[in-house]
mmCIF file with all atom_site columns, all heavy atoms in Angstrom:
data_model
loop_
_atom_site.group_PDB
_atom_site.id
_atom_site.type_symbol
_atom_site.label_atom_id
_atom_site.label_alt_id
_atom_site.label_comp_id
_atom_site.label_asym_id
_atom_site.label_entity_id
_atom_site.label_seq_id
_atom_site.pdbx_PDB_ins_code
_atom_site.Cartn_x
_atom_site.Cartn_y
_atom_site.Cartn_z
_atom_site.occupancy
_atom_site.B_iso_or_equiv
_atom_site.pdbx_formal_charge
_atom_site.auth_seq_id
_atom_site.auth_comp_id
_atom_site.auth_asym_id
_atom_site.auth_atom_id
_atom_site.pdbx_PDB_model_num
ATOM   1   N N   . ARG A 1 10  ? 5.523  6.932   6.248  1.00 0.00 ? 335  ARG A N   1
ATOM   2   C CA  . ARG A 1 10  ? 5.480  7.549   4.921  1.00 0.00 ? 335  ARG A CA  1
ATOM   3   C C   . ARG A 1 10  ? 4.095  8.067   4.554  1.00 0.00 ? 335  ARG A C   1
ATOM   4   O O   . ARG A 1 10  ? 3.942  9.207   4.106  1.00 0.00 ? 335  ARG A O   1
ATOM   5   C CB  . ARG A 1 10  ? 5.946  6.507   3.908  1.00 0.00 ? 335  ARG A CB  1
ATOM   6   C CG  . ARG A 1 10  ? 5.946  6.982   2.494  1.00 0.00 ? 335  ARG A CG  1
ATOM   7   C CD  . ARG A 1 10  ? 6.454  5.896   1.578  1.00 0.00 ? 335  ARG A CD  1
ATOM   8   N NE  . ARG A 1 10  ? 7.895  5.802   1.547  1.00 0.00 ? 335  ARG A NE  1
ATOM   9   C CZ  . ARG A 1 10  ? 8.613  4.763   1.943  1.00 0.00 ? 335  ARG A CZ  1
ATOM   10  N NH1 . ARG A 1 10  ? 8.029  3.696   2.437  1.00 0.00 ? 335  ARG A NH1 1
ATOM   11  N NH2 . ARG A 1 10  ? 9.907  4.766   1.851  1.00 0.00 ? 335  ARG A NH2 1
ATOM   12  N N   . LYS A 1 119 ? 6.238  -10.118 0.589  1.00 0.00 ? 444  LYS A N   1
ATOM   13  C CA  . LYS A 1 119 ? 5.110  -9.989  1.521  1.00 0.00 ? 444  LYS A CA  1
ATOM   14  C C   . LYS A 1 119 ? 3.797  -9.846  0.761  1.00 0.00 ? 444  LYS A C   1
ATOM   15  O O   . LYS A 1 119 ? 2.749  -9.726  1.356  1.00 0.00 ? 444  LYS A O   1
ATOM   16  C CB  . LYS A 1 119 ? 5.346  -8.853  2.513  1.00 0.00 ? 444  LYS A CB  1
ATOM   17  C CG  . LYS A 1 119 ? 5.304  -7.446  2.004  1.00 0.00 ? 444  LYS A CG  1
ATOM   18  C CD  . LYS A 1 119 ? 5.407  -6.466  3.201  1.00 0.00 ? 444  LYS A CD  1
ATOM   19  C CE  . LYS A 1 119 ? 5.533  -5.040  2.751  1.00 0.00 ? 444  LYS A CE  1
ATOM   20  N NZ  . LYS A 1 119 ? 5.749  -4.110  3.879  1.00 0.00 ? 444  LYS A NZ  1
ATOM   21  N N   . GLY A 1 142 ? 9.480  -8.188  5.624  1.00 0.00 ? 467  GLY A N   1
ATOM   22  C CA  . GLY A 1 142 ? 10.291 -7.002  5.348  1.00 0.00 ? 467  GLY A CA  1
ATOM   23  C C   . GLY A 1 142 ? 11.669 -7.417  4.886  1.00 0.00 ? 467  GLY A C   1
ATOM   24  O O   . GLY A 1 142 ? 11.974 -8.620  4.800  1.00 0.00 ? 467  GLY A O   1
ATOM   25  N N   . SER A 1 143 ? 12.513 -6.428  4.524  1.00 0.00 ? 468  SER A N   1
ATOM   26  C CA  . SER A 1 143 ? 13.889 -6.684  4.069  1.00 0.00 ? 468  SER A CA  1
ATOM   27  C C   . SER A 1 143 ? 13.945 -7.788  3.014  1.00 0.00 ? 468  SER A C   1
ATOM   28  O O   . SER A 1 143 ? 14.828 -8.644  3.041  1.00 0.00 ? 468  SER A O   1
ATOM   29  C CB  . SER A 1 143 ? 14.794 -7.051  5.252  1.00 0.00 ? 468  SER A CB  1
ATOM   30  O OG  . SER A 1 143 ? 14.814 -6.001  6.182  1.00 0.00 ? 468  SER A OG  1
ATOM   31  N N   . MET A 1 144 ? 13.005 -7.747  2.076  1.00 0.00 ? 469  MET A N   1
ATOM   32  C CA  . MET A 1 144 ? 12.938 -8.788  1.033  1.00 0.00 ? 469  MET A CA  1
ATOM   33  C C   . MET A 1 144 ? 14.237 -8.871  0.241  1.00 0.00 ? 469  MET A C   1
ATOM   34  O O   . MET A 1 144 ? 14.630 -9.950  -0.222 1.00 0.00 ? 469  MET A O   1
ATOM   35  C CB  . MET A 1 144 ? 11.789 -8.482  0.060  1.00 0.00 ? 469  MET A CB  1
ATOM   36  C CG  . MET A 1 144 ? 10.511 -9.220  0.346  1.00 0.00 ? 469  MET A CG  1
ATOM   37  S SD  . MET A 1 144 ? 9.614  -8.467  1.694  1.00 0.00 ? 469  MET A SD  1
ATOM   38  C CE  . MET A 1 144 ? 8.934  -7.016  0.916  1.00 0.00 ? 469  MET A CE  1
ATOM   39  N N   . GLU A 1 145 ? 14.911 -7.708  0.073  1.00 0.00 ? 470  GLU A N   1
ATOM   40  C CA  . GLU A 1 145 ? 16.121 -7.663  -0.764 1.00 0.00 ? 470  GLU A CA  1
ATOM   41  C C   . GLU A 1 145 ? 17.205 -8.616  -0.271 1.00 0.00 ? 470  GLU A C   1
ATOM   42  O O   . GLU A 1 145 ? 18.107 -8.994  -1.018 1.00 0.00 ? 470  GLU A O   1
ATOM   43  C CB  . GLU A 1 145 ? 16.682 -6.231  -0.808 1.00 0.00 ? 470  GLU A CB  1
ATOM   44  C CG  . GLU A 1 145 ? 15.802 -5.234  -1.554 1.00 0.00 ? 470  GLU A CG  1
ATOM   45  C CD  . GLU A 1 145 ? 14.745 -4.583  -0.669 1.00 0.00 ? 470  GLU A CD  1
ATOM   46  O OE1 . GLU A 1 145 ? 14.617 -4.987  0.519  1.00 0.00 ? 470  GLU A OE1 1
ATOM   47  O OE2 . GLU A 1 145 ? 14.036 -3.687  -1.166 1.00 0.00 ? 470  GLU A OE2 1
ATOM   48  N N   . ASP A 1 158 ? 8.790  -6.988  -4.686 1.00 0.00 ? 483  ASP A N   1
ATOM   49  C CA  . ASP A 1 158 ? 8.842  -5.910  -3.703 1.00 0.00 ? 483  ASP A CA  1
ATOM   50  C C   . ASP A 1 158 ? 8.585  -4.571  -4.390 1.00 0.00 ? 483  ASP A C   1
ATOM   51  O O   . ASP A 1 158 ? 8.452  -4.509  -5.620 1.00 0.00 ? 483  ASP A O   1
ATOM   52  C CB  . ASP A 1 158 ? 10.219 -5.894  -3.014 1.00 0.00 ? 483  ASP A CB  1
ATOM   53  C CG  . ASP A 1 158 ? 10.207 -5.072  -1.723 1.00 0.00 ? 483  ASP A CG  1
ATOM   54  O OD1 . ASP A 1 158 ? 9.115  -4.659  -1.267 1.00 0.00 ? 483  ASP A OD1 1
ATOM   55  O OD2 . ASP A 1 158 ? 11.297 -4.831  -1.167 1.00 0.00 ? 483  ASP A OD2 1
ATOM   56  N N   . LEU A 1 159 ? 8.569  -3.522  -3.582 1.00 0.00 ? 484  LEU A N   1
ATOM   57  C CA  . LEU A 1 159 ? 8.347  -2.174  -4.100 1.00 0.00 ? 484  LEU A CA  1
ATOM   58  C C   . LEU A 1 159 ? 9.674  -1.520  -4.430 1.00 0.00 ? 484  LEU A C   1
ATOM   59  O O   . LEU A 1 159 ? 10.669 -1.725  -3.746 1.00 0.00 ? 484  LEU A O   1
ATOM   60  C CB  . LEU A 1 159 ? 7.615  -1.332  -3.059 1.00 0.00 ? 484  LEU A CB  1
ATOM   61  C CG  . LEU A 1 159 ? 6.274  -1.876  -2.592 1.00 0.00 ? 484  LEU A CG  1
ATOM   62  C CD1 . LEU A 1 159 ? 5.677  -0.973  -1.523 1.00 0.00 ? 484  LEU A CD1 1
ATOM   63  C CD2 . LEU A 1 159 ? 5.317  -2.040  -3.772 1.00 0.00 ? 484  LEU A CD2 1
ATOM   64  N N   . VAL A 1 160 ? 9.671  -0.720  -5.496 1.00 0.00 ? 485  VAL A N   1
ATOM   65  C CA  . VAL A 1 160 ? 10.845 0.044   -5.904 1.00 0.00 ? 485  VAL A CA  1
ATOM   66  C C   . VAL A 1 160 ? 10.416 1.484   -6.149 1.00 0.00 ? 485  VAL A C   1
ATOM   67  O O   . VAL A 1 160 ? 9.398  1.724   -6.784 1.00 0.00 ? 485  VAL A O   1
ATOM   68  C CB  . VAL A 1 160 ? 11.435 -0.489  -7.227 1.00 0.00 ? 485  VAL A CB  1
ATOM   69  C CG1 . VAL A 1 160 ? 12.666 0.318   -7.620 1.00 0.00 ? 485  VAL A CG1 1
ATOM   70  C CG2 . VAL A 1 160 ? 11.781 -1.933  -7.099 1.00 0.00 ? 485  VAL A CG2 1
ATOM   71  N N   . ASP A 1 161 ? 11.225 2.405   -5.642 1.00 0.00 ? 486  ASP A N   1
ATOM   72  C CA  . ASP A 1 161 ? 10.980 3.812   -5.980 1.00 0.00 ? 486  ASP A CA  1
ATOM   73  C C   . ASP A 1 161 ? 12.208 4.325   -6.721 1.00 0.00 ? 486  ASP A C   1
ATOM   74  O O   . ASP A 1 161 ? 12.273 4.326   -7.948 1.00 0.00 ? 486  ASP A O   1
ATOM   75  C CB  . ASP A 1 161 ? 10.697 4.609   -4.712 1.00 0.00 ? 486  ASP A CB  1
ATOM   76  C CG  . ASP A 1 161 ? 10.519 6.092   -4.988 1.00 0.00 ? 486  ASP A CG  1
ATOM   77  O OD1 . ASP A 1 161 ? 10.216 6.437   -6.154 1.00 0.00 ? 486  ASP A OD1 1
ATOM   78  O OD2 . ASP A 1 161 ? 10.687 6.905   -4.067 1.00 0.00 ? 486  ASP A OD2 1
ATOM   79  N N   . THR A 1 162 ? 13.246 4.733   -6.005 1.00 0.00 ? 487  THR A N   1
ATOM   80  C CA  . THR A 1 162 ? 14.457 5.241   -6.665 1.00 0.00 ? 487  THR A CA  1
ATOM   81  C C   . THR A 1 162 ? 15.313 4.115   -7.246 1.00 0.00 ? 487  THR A C   1
ATOM   82  O O   . THR A 1 162 ? 16.163 4.358   -8.093 1.00 0.00 ? 487  THR A O   1
ATOM   83  C CB  . THR A 1 162 ? 15.325 6.000   -5.642 1.00 0.00 ? 487  THR A CB  1
ATOM   84  O OG1 . THR A 1 162 ? 15.689 5.077   -4.599 1.00 0.00 ? 487  THR A OG1 1
ATOM   85  C CG2 . THR A 1 162 ? 14.578 7.171   -5.043 1.00 0.00 ? 487  THR A CG2 1
ATOM   86  N N   . GLY A 1 163 ? 15.127 2.892   -6.741 1.00 0.00 ? 488  GLY A N   1
ATOM   87  C CA  . GLY A 1 163 ? 15.984 1.774   -7.141 1.00 0.00 ? 488  GLY A CA  1
ATOM   88  C C   . GLY A 1 163 ? 17.242 1.672   -6.285 1.00 0.00 ? 488  GLY A C   1
ATOM   89  O O   . GLY A 1 163 ? 18.039 0.749   -6.469 1.00 0.00 ? 488  GLY A O   1
ATOM   90  N N   . ASN A 1 164 ? 17.402 2.579   -5.339 1.00 0.00 ? 489  ASN A N   1
ATOM   91  C CA  . ASN A 1 164 ? 18.623 2.580   -4.519 1.00 0.00 ? 489  ASN A CA  1
ATOM   92  C C   . ASN A 1 164 ? 18.773 1.306   -3.690 1.00 0.00 ? 489  ASN A C   1
ATOM   93  O O   . ASN A 1 164 ? 19.873 0.780   -3.552 1.00 0.00 ? 489  ASN A O   1
ATOM   94  C CB  . ASN A 1 164 ? 18.641 3.796   -3.570 1.00 0.00 ? 489  ASN A CB  1
ATOM   95  C CG  . ASN A 1 164 ? 18.872 5.085   -4.340 1.00 0.00 ? 489  ASN A CG  1
ATOM   96  O OD1 . ASN A 1 164 ? 19.377 5.060   -5.466 1.00 0.00 ? 489  ASN A OD1 1
ATOM   97  N ND2 . ASN A 1 164 ? 18.493 6.211   -3.750 1.00 0.00 ? 489  ASN A ND2 1
ATOM   98  N N   . THR A 1 165 ? 17.669 0.832   -3.132 1.00 0.00 ? 490  THR A N   1
ATOM   99  C CA  . THR A 1 165 ? 17.754 -0.357  -2.269 1.00 0.00 ? 490  THR A CA  1
ATOM   100 C C   . THR A 1 165 ? 18.148 -1.582  -3.097 1.00 0.00 ? 490  THR A C   1
ATOM   101 O O   . THR A 1 165 ? 18.987 -2.381  -2.680 1.00 0.00 ? 490  THR A O   1
ATOM   102 C CB  . THR A 1 165 ? 16.421 -0.595  -1.532 1.00 0.00 ? 490  THR A CB  1
ATOM   103 O OG1 . THR A 1 165 ? 16.008 0.628   -0.924 1.00 0.00 ? 490  THR A OG1 1
ATOM   104 C CG2 . THR A 1 165 ? 16.576 -1.665  -0.467 1.00 0.00 ? 490  THR A CG2 1
ATOM   105 N N   . LEU A 1 166 ? 17.548 -1.711  -4.295 1.00 0.00 ? 491  LEU A N   1
ATOM   106 C CA  . LEU A 1 166 ? 17.925 -2.837  -5.165 1.00 0.00 ? 491  LEU A CA  1
ATOM   107 C C   . LEU A 1 166 ? 19.410 -2.744  -5.520 1.00 0.00 ? 491  LEU A C   1
ATOM   108 O O   . LEU A 1 166 ? 20.155 -3.721  -5.375 1.00 0.00 ? 491  LEU A O   1
ATOM   109 C CB  . LEU A 1 166 ? 17.092 -2.836  -6.454 1.00 0.00 ? 491  LEU A CB  1
ATOM   110 C CG  . LEU A 1 166 ? 15.616 -3.241  -6.348 1.00 0.00 ? 491  LEU A CG  1
ATOM   111 C CD1 . LEU A 1 166 ? 14.996 -3.281  -7.747 1.00 0.00 ? 491  LEU A CD1 1
ATOM   112 C CD2 . LEU A 1 166 ? 15.472 -4.587  -5.651 1.00 0.00 ? 491  LEU A CD2 1
HETATM 113 C C1  . PRP B 2 .   ? 10.525 0.265   0.709  1.00 0.00 ? 1663 PRP B C1  1
HETATM 114 C C2  . PRP B 2 .   ? 10.543 -1.002  -0.139 1.00 0.00 ? 1663 PRP B C2  1
HETATM 115 C C3  . PRP B 2 .   ? 11.971 -1.054  -0.637 1.00 0.00 ? 1663 PRP B C3  1
HETATM 116 C C4  . PRP B 2 .   ? 12.351 0.418   -0.696 1.00 0.00 ? 1663 PRP B C4  1
HETATM 117 C C5  . PRP B 2 .   ? 12.401 0.838   -2.129 1.00 0.00 ? 1663 PRP B C5  1
HETATM 118 O O1  . PRP B 2 .   ? 11.064 -0.011  1.933  1.00 0.00 ? 1663 PRP B O1  1
HETATM 119 O O2  . PRP B 2 .   ? 10.180 -2.146  0.617  1.00 0.00 ? 1663 PRP B O2  1
HETATM 120 O O3  . PRP B 2 .   ? 12.807 -1.746  0.234  1.00 0.00 ? 1663 PRP B O3  1
HETATM 121 O O4  . PRP B 2 .   ? 11.344 1.168   -0.005 1.00 0.00 ? 1663 PRP B O4  1
HETATM 122 O O5  . PRP B 2 .   ? 12.688 2.214   -2.249 1.00 0.00 ? 1663 PRP B O5  1
HETATM 123 P P1  . PRP B 2 .   ? 13.900 2.694   -3.199 1.00 0.00 ? 1663 PRP B P1  1
HETATM 124 O O6  . PRP B 2 .   ? 13.724 2.049   -4.518 1.00 0.00 ? 1663 PRP B O6  1
HETATM 125 O O7  . PRP B 2 .   ? 13.727 4.188   -3.247 1.00 0.00 ? 1663 PRP B O7  1
HETATM 126 O O8  . PRP B 2 .   ? 15.193 2.308   -2.513 1.00 0.00 ? 1663 PRP B O8  1
HETATM 127 P P2  . PRP B 2 .   ? 11.044 1.058   3.114  1.00 0.00 ? 1663 PRP B P2  1
HETATM 128 O O9  . PRP B 2 .   ? 12.086 2.082   2.918  1.00 0.00 ? 1663 PRP B O9  1
HETATM 129 O O10 . PRP B 2 .   ? 9.656  1.569   3.318  1.00 0.00 ? 1663 PRP B O10 1
HETATM 130 O O11 . PRP B 2 .   ? 11.416 0.155   4.335  1.00 0.00 ? 1663 PRP B O11 1
HETATM 131 P P3  . PRP B 2 .   ? 10.562 -1.087  4.902  1.00 0.00 ? 1663 PRP B P3  1
HETATM 132 O O12 . PRP B 2 .   ? 11.056 -2.286  4.122  1.00 0.00 ? 1663 PRP B O12 1
HETATM 133 O O13 . PRP B 2 .   ? 10.933 -1.114  6.322  1.00 0.00 ? 1663 PRP B O13 1
HETATM 134 O O14 . PRP B 2 .   ? 9.104  -0.794  4.663  1.00 0.00 ? 1663 PRP B O14 1
#
Side-chain angles (χ1 to χ4, degrees):
R335 179 179 279 117
K444 70 174 173 185
S468 300
M469 263 78 75
E470 292 88 354
D483 196 9
L484 302 178
V485 181
D486 177 21
T487 60
N489 289 340
T490 310
L491 288 184

